[in-house]
Amino acid sequence: MNPSEARFELIAVPAPKTFPNVKTPVISDEVMTQRLKKILNALHQHKLDAVIIYADKEHGGNFEYLAGFIPRFEEALLILTADGQLSYVMGNENLKLVPHARNSGKCLHAPAFSLPNQPMDNDAPLSDVLAQAGLKNGNQIGVVGWKLFTSKLSDTQYQFDVPAFILEAIIETAGDRKKVVNATSLFISPADGARRLNTASEIAFYEFGANLASTNVMAALDQIEPGKTEKQIGHWLSADGQPGNVVMIAATGERFADACLYPSDKQIQRGDKFSLTVGFKGGLTSRAAYVVADENELPPAVADYLSALAIPYYRAVTSWLETLRPGLTGGELYQTIENVMPKEKWHWHLNPGHLVADEEWLCSPVSADSAIKLESGMIFQIDIIPSLPGYGGCSIEDTVALADATLRKELQSHFPEVWQRMETRKAYLHDVLNITVSEDVILLSNTVGYLRPFLLDKHRALVRQP
């Protein structure tokens, strides 16, 4: 069926099943070793003598990919040399983590990475510490931050996103500024970065976070009522003591009042627009809609919200889901959304779909004219954000992945409980919401495709009509 001809109606349907209190998988030792080998092979391919991976609490994904942990409230470096040696350069309070690293290595101390006014014992110049890790004058060194500089400047390989005092020490060690290059793409390039593809063990690990986020959002949706505060709704988004990988959102009415980013004491009012978001390692779930029971309760200026925004947006999401498959290019997926929800009218400006991992946004192969082919092992967040002037948002961001027959068989064999949850979600998508996805699409979130445009109506959702 042509997506533009599909009909959608707001009807009573059962809510999707959620799975609270599931166990957290641990990524296998074998996969952690494979990760190290992938980066080492990339290092050799790019003729680098070493890569230096920067991390802090907010930007630790590439470090964690090999280490299995982040440096919490300090900075850190992880150095991999071409002969396969790892060195962890840590501040005062993260030295104790190195013996627990998933890929073992030498522990080196850099007090400058510590918090202000802590003891600076053994405060050797950082260049001396780098030398202890095996780096020397004349080395070709790749620096791994967390950004891909994709401007059209010819010298993007010499743009860096690490603190200047660290970069200066690296350049001093190499002895030549041109010997130091940005190597973040080895990890997160959407075309060939090591982290863009996931094994069964990694998908099972990340499904935990996607399941938790979507389970919590469903619980929060059921709690939304006039008179309750943002804090009371935000309470339902936190669970199992897990750290979020984005700022939690439970916002009613106008967001960012008094520059506030977090759930506050603001009370929900009937007719408010409402935003709800939580994300954990492996997946984010987000919802945006109106606090009403039906169209008659909408503010007059947005009385046609259902037909003007919610249904066109839902058409775009269903088209995205049914188009997604391995072998499709990122440009083709982008054009799918452009065809059903033209940017000129709907003013979406980010990539309509991106990859996730430990970070909520890893990178994206989806852009206009992208020739990058989508592959088995990629984990995607549905991220189409229309902006229609005068209207509140409409959003059902969730997490899916691509898995070919081999990967699906591994999941089914080695992670049967994860696999059964995925099958339950796909059956709901097909049998209740009438959305049919490729057999190579697996669902990590419970709420994929589920849209309540009116948040006080806990029973009706948009459904495509056969």
Side-chain angles (χ1 to χ4, degrees):
M1 176 186 293
N2 186 323
S4 63
E5 297 175 354
R7 290 191 310 109
F8 300 89
E9 292 185 12
L10 189 60
I11 62 174
V13 293
K17 182 178 175 60
T18 59
F19 301 91
N21 304 316
V22 304
K23 294 181 179 179
T24 310
V26 175
I27 296 174
S28 70
D29 291 341
E30 179 185 7
V31 168
M32 293 303 298
T33 299
Q34 289 174 2
R35 287 179 169 188
L36 180 58
K37 288 179 179 177
K38 284 201 290 185
I39 298 301
L40 192 57
N41 288 340
L43 186 150
H44 292 151
Q45 180 183 349
H46 289 268
K47 297 181 171 55
L48 297 172
D49 296 302
V51 290
I52 300 178
I53 306 158
Y54 171 81
D56 61 23
K57 183 177 182 295
E58 296 298 323
H59 311 117
N62 294 324
F63 183 103
E64 188 172 13
Y65 183 69
L66 298 181
F69 66 89
I70 60 170
R72 305 182 297 171
F73 39 78
E74 296 182 334
E75 296 166 309
L77 298 176
L78 178 51
I79 300 170
L80 174 63
T81 55
D83 60 359
Q85 299 302 306
L86 282 171
S87 296
Y88 293 84
V89 184
M90 315 300 291
N92 292 342
E93 297 192 70
N94 281 289
L95 294 168
K96 58 192 171 190
L97 293 181
V98 175
H100 303 284
R102 299 297 305 279
N103 284 300
S104 61
K106 183 190 302 184
C107 182
L108 300 174
H109 187 198
F113 291 171
S114 307
L115 298 178
N117 298 124
Q118 286 195 353
M120 291 289 109
D121 301 334
N122 305 314
D123 190 19
L126 185 54
S127 56
D128 288 359
V129 179
L130 299 180
Q132 293 175 46
L135 304 185
K136 54 191 176 184
N137 188 278
N139 278 169
Q140 186 78 15
I141 300 174
V143 176
V144 178
W146 66 285
K147 285 185 182 295
L148 293 173
F149 291 100
T150 54
S151 68
K152 296 180 180 178
L153 298 176
S154 60
D155 61 348
T156 53
Q157 65 175 323
Y158 300 116
Q159 291 183 273
F160 303 95
D161 59 341
V162 301
F165 80 98
I166 295 176
L167 181 61
E168 288 168 0
I170 296 171
I171 292 171
E172 180 183 345
T173 300
D176 181 349
R177 180 174 292 272
K178 294 298 184 182
K179 289 284 187 181
V180 180
V181 298
N182 189 319
T184 309
S185 62
L186 274 60
F187 285 78
I188 66 169
S189 164
D192 54 16
R195 296 183 61 202
R196 78 194 193 285
L197 303 182
N198 295 275
T199 63
S201 179
E202 290 164 315
I203 288 176
F205 174 80
Y206 291 130
E207 187 267 352
F208 171 84
N211 172 70
L212 182 62
S214 53
T215 294
N216 291 2
V217 164
M218 277 301 305
L221 285 172
D222 288 341
Q223 294 297 317
I224 293 173
E225 295 292 345
K228 290 186 177 180
T229 67
E230 293 176 342
K231 286 181 180 177
Q232 288 176 301
I233 303 304
H235 167 79
W236 292 89
L237 297 179
S238 299
D240 294 354
Q242 298 303 301
N245 61 4
V246 295
V247 172
M248 176 195 296
I249 300 171
T252 196
E254 293 298 325
R255 286 181 62 190
F256 310 128
D258 299 318
C260 185
L261 298 179
Y262 314 107
S264 73
D265 295 310
K266 187 191 302 182
Q267 289 188 329
I268 300 170
Q269 305 294 324
R270 191 176 292 268
D272 276 356
K273 50 190 177 183
F274 198 95
S275 299
L276 199 65
T277 299
V278 68
F280 303 101
K281 288 180 182 295
L284 170 145
T285 292
S286 182
R287 292 296 185 270
Y290 276 94
V291 184
V292 297
D294 56 45
E295 286 180 287
N296 296 327
E297 295 181 345
L298 287 165
V302 295
D304 61 347
Y305 171 77
L306 189 65
S307 60
L309 179 57
I311 288 177
Y313 167 75
Y314 193 66
R315 175 178 285 110
V317 171
T318 58
S319 298
W320 190 96
L321 284 165
E322 295 193 331
T323 300
L324 186 69
R325 66 181 186 278
L328 189 75
T329 68
E332 289 171 327
L333 187 56
Y334 180 98
Q335 191 60 45
T336 294
I337 301 307
E338 176 63 25
N339 290 343
V340 297
M341 181 172 270
K343 179 187 288 190
E344 183 177 2
K345 176 180 178 181
W346 301 97
H347 308 290
W348 49 271
H349 64 282
L350 298 180
N351 312 58
H354 59 82
L355 303 187
V356 300
D358 297 281
E359 305 90 336
E360 183 267 341
W361 187 301
L362 184 72
C363 61
S364 182
V366 185
S367 59
D369 303 318
S370 170
I372 298 172
K373 289 190 176 182
L374 310 186
E375 298 182 58
S376 174
M378 288 182 168
I379 303 177
F380 283 91
Q381 183 176 312
I382 308 167
D383 198 3
I384 307 162
I385 308 175
S387 179
L388 200 59
Y391 292 80
C394 192
S395 171
I396 51 170
E397 297 181 34
D398 280 301
T399 309
V400 303
L402 293 176
D404 61 16
T406 299
L407 184 52
R408 296 197 303 274
K409 185 176 180 180
E410 290 175 1
L411 284 165
Q412 185 175 8
S413 174
H414 298 295
F415 304 96
E417 293 181 0
V418 173
W419 178 254
Q420 187 55 56
R421 290 195 291 270
M422 291 177 173
E423 288 292 275
T424 298
R425 295 168 189 141
K426 187 175 280 192
Y428 177 86
L429 195 70
H430 180 270
D431 299 343
V432 177
L433 301 180
N434 297 322
I435 299 172
T436 302
V437 297
S438 163
E439 64 179 351
D440 295 313
V441 172
I442 54 177
L443 310 185
L444 280 67
S445 297
N446 302 309
T447 46
V448 175
Y450 182 72
L451 173 56
R452 293 180 187 174
F454 305 142
L455 296 176
L456 298 183
D457 183 345
K458 316 294 186 184
H459 305 290
R460 291 188 298 168
L462 281 176
V463 177
R464 183 168 60 190
Q465 298 307 294

